[in-house]
Amino acid sequence: MSADDPQQVPRAKGGRAPDVFEPGGWVPMRSHSQDEEVDFVIVGTGAGGGTLACKLAEDGFSVVAFDAGPYWRPLEDFASDEHHQSKLYWTDERITAGANPIKLGANNSGRSVGGSTVHYAMVALRFRPEWFKARTRLGYGADWPIDWQEMWKYYTEVEQALTISGPINYPWGPRRPRYPYRAHPLNEAAKLLARGAEALGIDWTETPIATLSAPKGKAHRCVYRGFCVTGCSTNAKQSVLNTWLPRALTAGAEIRDLAMVGRIEVDKAGRATGVHYHREGAWHFQKARNVVVAGYAIETPRLLLNSACEQFPDGLANSSGLVGKNLMVQLNQAAWGQMKEEVRSYKAPPSLTISEHWNYEDRGKDYFGGWAYMSQGPLPITWVKELAGQRGLWGQRLIDEMARSNHNVGLKMVGEVLPDERNRVTLAEETDRFGLPIAKVEFSYSDNDRAMMKHALSFMDDSLAAVGATERWKEWDDTCHLNGTARMGDDPKTSVVNADGRSWDIPNLWVCDGSVFPTVGGVNPSLTIQAIACRTADRIKALSARGEL
Amino acid sequence: MASEVDTAPRTAARLLAAGASTLGVSVLLDSAMEHYRGSFRNPAMALPLAASAISIAFDGSGRGGGFPRTASHSASVAIGLTGLGFHTFNVFKRPSGLTFNNLFYGAPIGAPGALILSGLLGAASDRLSGDGGALGSGRLLAGLAAFGIFGSVGEAGLLHLKGSFQNPAMWLPVTIPPLAAASLAVDAMTGVPRPWTTALLGATALVGTVGVAFHAYGVSRNMGGWRNWRQNLLAGPPMPAPPAFAGLAIAALGAVLLMRRARG
Amino acid sequence: MANRFPGYDVLAKRDTLSWNDKTREVIAERLAMSERSDLLSDRQRATLRTAIDRIVPQPEGRAPVNALALLLAKIADDGSDGHRHHQLPGLRACYERGLDAIEEEAKARHGTSFHLLDGSQADLLLSAIERGDVCSNAWGDLPPAIFWGWRLLPDIVSSYYAHPSAWSAMGFGGPASPRGYVRIEGDRRDPWEAVEADDGTLIPAARQNKHVG
């Protein structure tokens, strides 16, 4: 191990943090002592925590944000290699169970400063407005305690901050402002989605994505290298790592990388006093006036449950008993086929076109919820695992099929899974290298899920047939994203936090990540998580001004 | 006396020829790069290269007349018109047809237009060097140049919108040249060239020239910079494009000269 | 099947702008990887080697893929992929038990070691494991189909397709940074991408592929 290995030795310390835009570069960082009771400790620096750290620091609060992962400089640390780049994933052991155990790690959990956004597919979509009142307006799931019009404002803020490249006009939903950058050119896989949608008579559009179609500051525009979901080595990808966090550092936030928070301390009065964290081989304690948990839908409930103490024997913020419950993945089923022409979908971001038709159209469905589908560009390892695992190919048949990958075309859905308390995160008896009980995750598809899959797969298959794809097949088992497990709501009995992400039980304990989602909708969650974080920051500022923190 | 000889038509012809060659060079290099990027998928993609190369040779030689010359300029116009058809077809055959994305990334509609203009200006220059009579007033040429500049503004505007005007300098070609073209168009209608027009045309020529430097900087801003020239020359802002403004502005100055002469 | 990308070698681009320093470093390490002999028993390693040979046959006419070396390194780390099926033990223990069970299964069915079976016998046995249709009681509480689908198969195929020879054989562009791609439409390729045989171009793919870089 070398002294500058960011996976072994923390980089953000001694008054400086890595400059993500310069190989070997540094930027100054304010440091706080452990005895200083900082305004906010934030656990996790992904879409929720990283965004919140920036906004709170810009509002003048003192902030220390912890992340278990390394602090990368993408230009020098990222290889064009799927295998090596698995270093971006949260690969600590988790037990996966239920009737349909989900695969965790690669496509749904990140372990980096910047969180999963460092390897996300950059798809930046807004919720359909009705989803915020899914129970009342659409008859399923739960209502959010937030109004869509308010969210529309925060979506705009995030789209600007991430310089989203998107279409001039978006075909679905209420008007939204012009995306800051123009959409990218379409690769062949994207065009095939478009032609299929045209043939089936539904709308399609260029996917709004968080990767640059023109230069921005020190960040380059996209070079269409296609390794997006294994980390962007050019900084074209607009992740939390290279957007919110540089701003956070400028505003005075401190970020501690390779720092695993194991426990939140609560005093006799029932208020959080700080966090115990493991860094550089030892446990430390950071004092704080407020603690925000932003570890995503598995680590967040795990930390709350692992912080159980005398006053809160069932874990923190858990008087409703809902911490860890209502875990929602999203359906990620796909239809695939072969084209006569070379598609070479390894080029360019994988999902350049989308149809949200079935997010906005409810007629003709025998299930609740919506789904979108996007063009695909799987890299070799991802693809071979799907061919082997889902299509049952191995031996020479597998090798031969892989040799035809350049003609492969596919469409993948992001589909809404309904909240269900049986899908949950609990603690296993097994412990990790820090001595902390690991998470056990249980998940099973519901009948509603199966009905949606059936409809979506048949529709996507029709779309492929319409463009002349042959040897088509359906991938029935894949999921993406993680949400729920600490839902927000209006009632302490049926939710963990309120609309501001503030826990009902401990007034200075907050949650800010995908865990707070009461429902997930049929779109990728990162934009909504960041919008929620912006809203939470504004609410904290307002509460602080009124002396209600 | 020799000094009494009217030199204006010849100077105007030279300006027109210079403008046409500059425009021709821009078209040649731009279509060479863009059609190389398009892998010369259609053999017709080689035609504009040939046409502009031959026209440049004639325009550069400065000698008027002759059938081959006329034929070369006619060929430029014909190939330009054909290209316009191909490019329009290319845009419309893309998913959803006439959309911003297809205009951004499809075959550029304006580019074959530049080839047409280059042919027309070259032909005009030839006529002037010959007898000059028919084009003597310069008003028609001024109108043509104004139209050409407006076309280039449209093209630059579209492509700079594609680049989201990320650099403030990207506003230059959509502010100065349209003013010049508008002023020139007014002059063409009134037949009275104003000093303003000359100044604005000079500024337009300058925008076209410094544009190359800006675009070179744009190429360097891409990942890998100039070291990665095989990708970035094609992916970055097109370096041969801005001189089209310079070519049109220079030709327009020739037209202005003719208009001045016509007024005495 | 015939070589679809004759003459194409991703490694020929190693010193071009398609590879950055980090990529060169990690791929060089991977190519130099040798099979550890201090891990698992000789028999277990032989079983694993045979399973790999059957599941991902070596590419024709190309440098061999060292999938076993990569997989052994993973087993040595005894880490995780971020999840573990609740019916499976930890990584290394899972391999030790699973490979022993495959060996016992071969003995129970054929009276000989797995690595001594001929190809079709080995394939039939692996198919039986895939279906969960086993007769040896060496499996104990290790569910064969889950061992196959959640451990053995994904690990082996992903180790194989981490190797440049495998990328070349499938015409994948391979590493791409700082240089990415310009021509992203159908039936188009950049000069630094593989040419597929019989794609209708005049110049034979094998000759064009010599100049990819």
Side-chain angles (χ1 to χ4, degrees), chain A residues 70-337:
Chain A
Y71 208 137
W72 307 109
R73 291 189 193 97
L75 293 174
E76 66 179 3
D77 293 328
F78 291 177
S80 299
D81 181 62
E82 275 179 288
H83 180 83
H84 177 79
Q85 290 299 119
S86 62
K87 66 184 181 183
L88 304 185
Y89 308 145
W90 188 284
T91 51
D92 283 8
E93 197 81 298
R94 288 161 171 172
I95 308 294
T96 185
N100 307 94
I102 53 179
K103 297 196 167 79
L104 298 152
N107 81 336
N108 55 20
S109 315
R111 189 192 190 88
S112 296
V113 170
S116 304
T117 69
V118 178
H119 63 82
Y120 70 163
M122 313 168 293
V123 175
L125 302 173
R126 297 182 177 205
F127 263 39
R128 171 180 166 183
E130 287 88 339
W131 290 342
F132 291 103
K133 293 287 176 278
R135 169 57 60 192
T136 313
R137 301 281 304 275
L138 302 167
Y140 69 85
D143 286 349
W144 288 57
I146 302 176
D147 185 68
W148 75 268
Q149 270 130 334
E150 196 185 356
M151 287 298 289
W152 235 235
K153 182 181 103 185
Y154 290 108
Y155 278 133
T156 303
E157 178 176 358
V158 179
E159 286 166 353
Q160 295 295 324
L162 300 189
T163 324
I164 301 296
S165 299
I168 301 269
N169 297 301
Y170 199 73
W172 304 281
R175 277 179 63 89
R176 55 185 71 178
R178 171 80 40 91
Y179 286 107
Y181 273 15
R182 302 290 77 78
H184 292 267
L186 305 185
N187 64 2
E188 189 61 12
K191 278 191 188 166
L192 289 169
L193 178 144
R195 293 200 188 287
E198 285 195 321
L200 298 180
I202 62 162
D203 281 331
W204 66 276
T205 192
E206 299 91 8
T207 312
I209 57 172
T211 190
L212 300 174
S213 61
K216 173 194 165 190
K218 284 180 165 180
H220 303 285
R221 58 168 281 205
C222 180
V223 295
Y224 307 117
R225 56 191 283 270
F227 282 83
C228 315
V229 295
T230 62
C232 179
S233 62
T234 73
N235 274 323
K237 172 184 284 189
Q238 299 292 285
S239 64
V240 171
L241 177 65
N242 67 6
T243 58
W244 299 106
L245 292 181
R247 272 171 61 179
L249 291 171
T250 304
E254 179 182 353
I255 294 161
R256 293 191 195 150
D257 55 341
L258 298 185
M260 176 71 183
V261 173
R263 206 177 131 76
I264 300 162
E265 190 67 38
V266 178
D267 66 12
K268 292 274 181 256
R271 287 181 66 89
T273 57
V275 295
H276 298 274
Y277 68 101
H278 193 274
R279 198 186 198 202
E280 296 183 283
W283 286 98
H284 311 275
F285 182 73
Q286 175 67 50
K287 280 186 169 182
R289 290 190 191 89
N290 290 276
V291 173
V292 184
V293 186
Y296 210 17
I298 294 179
E299 292 309 308
T300 286
R302 180 183 174 212
L303 178 59
L304 294 174
L305 296 173
N306 269 336
S307 299
C309 55
E310 221 170 290
Q311 303 101 295
F312 301 103
D314 299 325
L316 306 185
N318 200 17
S319 63
S320 63
L322 287 174
V323 169
K325 291 186 180 160
N326 294 306
L327 172 71
M328 292 170 287
V329 294
Q330 284 173 310
L331 304 180
N332 205 201
Q333 278 65 16
W336 303 99

Side-chain angles (χ1 to χ4, degrees), chain A residues 78 80-81 93-94 96 104 188 191 223-225 233 342 344 346-347 394-395 402-403 406-407 430, chain C residues 4 20 23 30 54-55 80 83-84 86 130 161 171 176-177 181 183-187 193-194 196:
Chain A
F78 291 177
S80 299
D81 181 62
E93 197 81 298
R94 288 161 171 172
T96 185
L104 298 152
E188 189 61 12
K191 278 191 188 166
V223 295
Y224 307 117
R225 56 191 283 270
S233 62
E342 292 181 320
R344 296 189 194 247
Y346 56 80
K347 294 188 275 189
W394 51 275
M402 284 298 286
N406 286 355
H407 294 264
E430 211 172 301
Chain C
R4 271 181 179 258
N20 62 12
T23 306
R30 191 167 314 151
R54 298 316 304 166
I55 291 170
S80 170
H83 60 262
R84 190 177 90 225
H86 65 107
E130 182 181 17
Y161 279 96
S177 182
Y181 300 103
R183 297 164 186 85
I184 60 177
E185 305 187 325
D187 275 339
E193 288 186 275
E196 187 168 334

Side-chain angles (χ1 to χ4, degrees), chain B residues 33 36-39 41 93-94 105 223-224 227-232 234-235, chain C residues 17 177-183 185-192 201 211 213:
Chain B
M33 275 172 54
Y36 168 65
R37 175 200 182 111
S39 315
R41 202 70 179 183
K93 77 174 184 188
R94 288 162 185 263
Y105 300 108
M223 185 67 190
R227 221 160 48 87
N228 187 15
W229 63 272
R230 288 175 77 195
Q231 170 165 28
N232 290 341
L234 298 179
Chain C
L17 283 155
S177 182
R179 184 174 66 189
Y181 300 103
V182 180
R183 297 164 186 85
E185 305 187 325
D187 275 339
R188 300 286 167 93
R189 54 174 278 276
D190 284 324
W192 49 94
T201 48
H211 303 286

Side-chain angles (χ1 to χ4, degrees), chain B residues 131-151:
Chain B
D131 56 22
L135 295 164
S137 80
R139 289 170 67 174
L140 190 63
L141 276 175
L144 183 67
F147 177 77
I149 294 174
F150 274 126

Side-chain angles (χ1 to χ4, degrees), chain B residues 7-221:
Chain B
T7 57
R10 198 193 288 166
T11 313
R14 282 194 184 144
L15 282 170
L16 282 174
S21 333
T22 309
L23 192 57
V25 169
S26 168
V27 170
L28 173 65
L29 295 178
D30 203 34
S31 62
M33 275 172 54
E34 290 298 324
H35 288 181
Y36 168 65
R37 175 200 182 111
S39 315
F40 290 97
R41 202 70 179 183
N42 182 335
M45 290 163 84
L47 289 177
L49 274 68
S52 46
I54 294 166
S55 285
I56 293 162
F58 281 121
D59 291 335
S61 78
R63 292 249 169 126
F67 173 74
R69 262 192 109 95
T70 314
S72 112
H73 294 312
S74 309
S76 288
V77 173
I79 292 169
L81 284 168
T82 315
L84 208 54
F86 273 124
H87 285 204
T88 309
F89 174 68
N90 179 284
V91 167
F92 276 89
K93 77 174 184 188
R94 288 162 185 263
S96 292
L98 189 65
T99 64
F100 269 106
N101 203 263
N102 292 343
L103 286 171
F104 290 154
Y105 300 108
I109 305 284
L115 185 58
I116 298 173
L117 281 169
S118 146
L120 289 177
L121 293 173
S125 156
D126 290 355
R127 292 283 290 277
L128 277 177
S129 330
D131 56 22
L135 295 164
S137 80
R139 289 170 67 174
L140 190 63
L141 276 175
L144 183 67
F147 177 77
I149 294 174
F150 274 126
S152 294
V153 168
E155 182 95 341
L158 185 73
L159 295 180
H160 286 191
L161 176 65
K162 171 176 105 175
S164 310
F165 291 94
Q166 51 89 16
N167 187 316
M170 293 166 82
W171 289 102
L172 283 176
V174 294
T175 46
I176 293 172
L179 288 176
S183 181
L184 182 64
V186 169
D187 291 3
M189 280 186 280
T190 59
V192 186
R194 296 163 300 169
W196 264 117
T197 307
T198 308
L200 282 166
L201 287 173
T204 298
L206 192 66
V207 166
T209 312
V210 298
V212 179
F214 276 123
H215 282 200
Y217 170 67
V219 169
S220 79
R221 290 274 317 266

